[in-house]
Amino acid sequence: MKEKKHNGFKTFVMVLTLILVSPVFSISVSASELTDNEKLHTETTGASKGNSVPDQKLNSEEFKNVKVSMNDVKKLEAYLKLNADGTLTLDPSYTKLDISRSVTNEVQEWIKYLNGLVKQKEAVINSDFSVKILDKDGSVLTLENGNNNKMKVAKKGCGRSGHDVYWWGYNLYFDCNETRTLYQSFKAGGGATSGIALISRVIPVPPTQLASVISGVIGGGLVGFGQMIQDEHEGHGVRIRFTGLGYAAVPTGVFHNKNERGETMTFLVLMAGLFLFIYMKEPFSKKVYAYVYVAFYLMVLALYIINTTFVNLISSRLLLIVTVIVISPLFISFLKSSNESR
């Protein structure tokens, strides 16, 4: 009877462990299946393929004096066409929409600006209407490979740092260190030089004009913008949305920069491994193996704590893969002992 109960409990532990670990593999598979265009298009808010406007709720105060709302963008995107030469046009039937002429004129200016970049071979528009900004050699220009000081940035903080470009504007991502620099710079008043510099490395607008634009759409000016960023910062940085391209870009949203799905799965896998290690008592044939395993486990745990709390040393996906590799021997040992006890 005791043996049956013991075997039943082991089966329960195995099922529980599989439930905790199985999402890891689905995440890895789905991530590996993404094309380059989809990777550029996917956002932490969960944008779906074919829709460049994810559902985004503005938690901070409303922005004022914004000509084009994101609802207008969503409606008009349904009438966008990607031409054979890589440019965009609006289907004439968009006129049946209940959208003011001033809004559609503004959007037409965005499209004209973007098409100009495409014709000059400075940008490529993807089928999902996300945009790749190109360097002089034709490679995709990012904050990591930028060949000028304005584009270069060192990834040192927790959270995502980078940007996505769409036909309607920009999503700028700032890690925790950059976010602190942002709100401290803006709240200090004056020209907010450091904060403006971080934003203008992506948006091709002179810093003085960018500061003027931000002050014009946010109550409280630059200081109010800094307070808004601080309010939205929850440890992983923020995402700032700008609607409009080039000189037409205006801030229309500040959001949490959350990219914690991989971190949550890493934590669950670590806890599953700890649970198995305690339950099995002697998971390995020799004590020296157990000591070595504990050392590796503690190293991964320490890396997880440092990566999620202090400094972003490696990506969440890589940390998750490392964790699964370290836990695998323990899980295999558990399966073997379960089969032997039957």
Side-chain angles (χ1 to χ4, degrees):
M1 180 66 72
K2 286 185 178 180
E3 186 176 347
K4 286 184 177 180
K5 287 183 178 180
H6 185 69
N7 290 338
F9 184 66
K10 277 198 170 186
T11 302
F12 168 74
V13 172
M14 184 170 63
V15 171
L16 180 62
T17 306
L18 284 172
I19 291 173
L20 291 174
V21 175
S22 60
V24 174
F25 299 101
S26 64
I27 291 173
S28 299
V29 171
S30 62
S32 64
E33 290 174 350
L34 291 176
T35 64
D36 291 338
N37 290 352
E38 289 169 330
K39 285 179 181 177
L40 178 69
H41 173 63
T42 303
E43 296 184 44
T44 57
T45 53
S48 59
K49 186 177 178 182
N51 175 18
S52 72
V53 191
D55 292 329
Q56 300 172 342
K57 294 182 179 179
L58 182 60
N59 298 324
S60 47
E61 63 183 280
E62 292 295 331
F63 290 76
K64 61 181 183 179
N65 300 328
V66 175
K67 291 182 181 179
V68 185
S69 71
M70 293 307 291
N71 285 331
D72 294 332
V73 170
K74 285 183 179 181
K75 292 176 183 178
L76 289 168
E77 186 173 272
Y79 295 85
L80 276 180
K81 287 186 176 180
L82 186 59
N83 302 317
D85 61 356
T87 59
L88 282 181
T89 54
L90 270 176
D91 189 290
S93 59
Y94 79 87
T95 53
K96 66 183 180 181
L97 294 173
D98 185 21
I99 297 177
S100 69
R101 179 65 65 87
S102 62
V103 169
T104 55
N105 287 344
E106 181 76 10
V107 171
Q108 290 284 16
E109 287 299 316
W110 300 352
I111 294 173
K112 182 180 178 181
Y113 172 85
L114 186 55
N115 286 342
L117 293 180
V118 171
K119 291 175 181 177
Q120 294 169 20
K121 297 184 178 180
E122 295 179 4
V124 172
I125 305 172
N126 300 314
S127 58
D128 58 5
F129 306 130
S130 61
V131 180
K132 290 180 180 179
I133 303 299
L134 303 180
D135 203 351
K136 292 179 180 179
D137 61 359
S139 61
V140 178
L141 190 62
T142 68
L143 294 178
E144 289 73 33
N145 69 3
N147 60 1
N148 57 69
N149 293 330
K150 187 176 180 180
M151 289 296 293
K152 287 184 179 177
V153 63
K155 279 192 174 181
K156 295 182 180 179
C158 47
R160 179 180 174 183
S161 176
H163 67 283
D164 289 331
V165 185
Y166 302 93
W167 74 272
W168 50 260
Y170 310 86
N171 266 330
L172 310 184
Y173 299 86
F174 301 95
D175 64 31
C176 56
N177 290 340
E178 292 170 331
T179 299
R180 280 190 289 270
T181 300
L182 277 173
Y183 69 70
Q184 288 171 0
S185 174
F186 286 119
K187 291 182 70 176
T193 307
S194 299
I196 293 295
L198 281 173
I199 294 175
S200 66
R201 71 190 183 193
V202 173
I203 301 176
V205 177
T208 52
Q209 181 170 338
L210 191 57
S212 177
V213 167
I214 293 172
S215 298
V217 298
I218 296 174
L222 296 179
V223 176
F225 190 46
Q227 186 61 54
M228 188 184 296
I229 293 170
Q230 186 175 7
D231 291 342
E232 295 297 333
H233 179 41
E234 294 187 350
H236 284 75
V238 297
R239 174 170 56 88
I240 302 177
R241 183 183 64 204
F242 277 76
T243 304
L245 295 169
Y247 282 77
V250 295
T252 57
V254 180
F255 309 90
H256 312 310
N257 185 4
K258 289 199 172 182
N259 189 19
E260 300 176 352
R261 189 180 184 188
E263 294 174 1
T264 301
M265 292 311 306
T266 302
F267 176 77
L268 290 175
V269 174
L270 283 169
M271 291 303 100
L274 180 62
F275 182 74
L276 284 175
F277 192 79
I278 294 173
Y279 169 71
M280 294 178 67
K281 294 182 181 179
E282 295 182 359
F284 303 105
S285 58
K286 295 182 180 180
K287 282 189 176 181
V288 65
Y289 294 157
Y291 290 139
V292 171
Y293 180 81
V294 168
F296 276 106
Y297 180 89
L298 292 176
M299 286 172 61
V300 174
L301 181 61
L303 181 59
Y304 170 81
I305 294 171
I306 293 171
N307 213 59
T308 56
T309 308
F310 301 105
V311 180
N312 191 35
L313 298 175
I314 62 175
S315 68
S316 298
R317 187 180 301 169
L318 179 58
L319 180 59
L320 181 58
I321 293 171
V322 171
T323 304
V324 170
I325 292 172
V326 170
I327 298 300
S328 295
L330 193 62
F331 186 68
I332 293 170
S333 178
F334 173 74
L335 292 176
K336 286 183 178 179
S337 64
S338 298
N339 291 331
E340 290 173 358
S341 62
R342 289 180 181 179

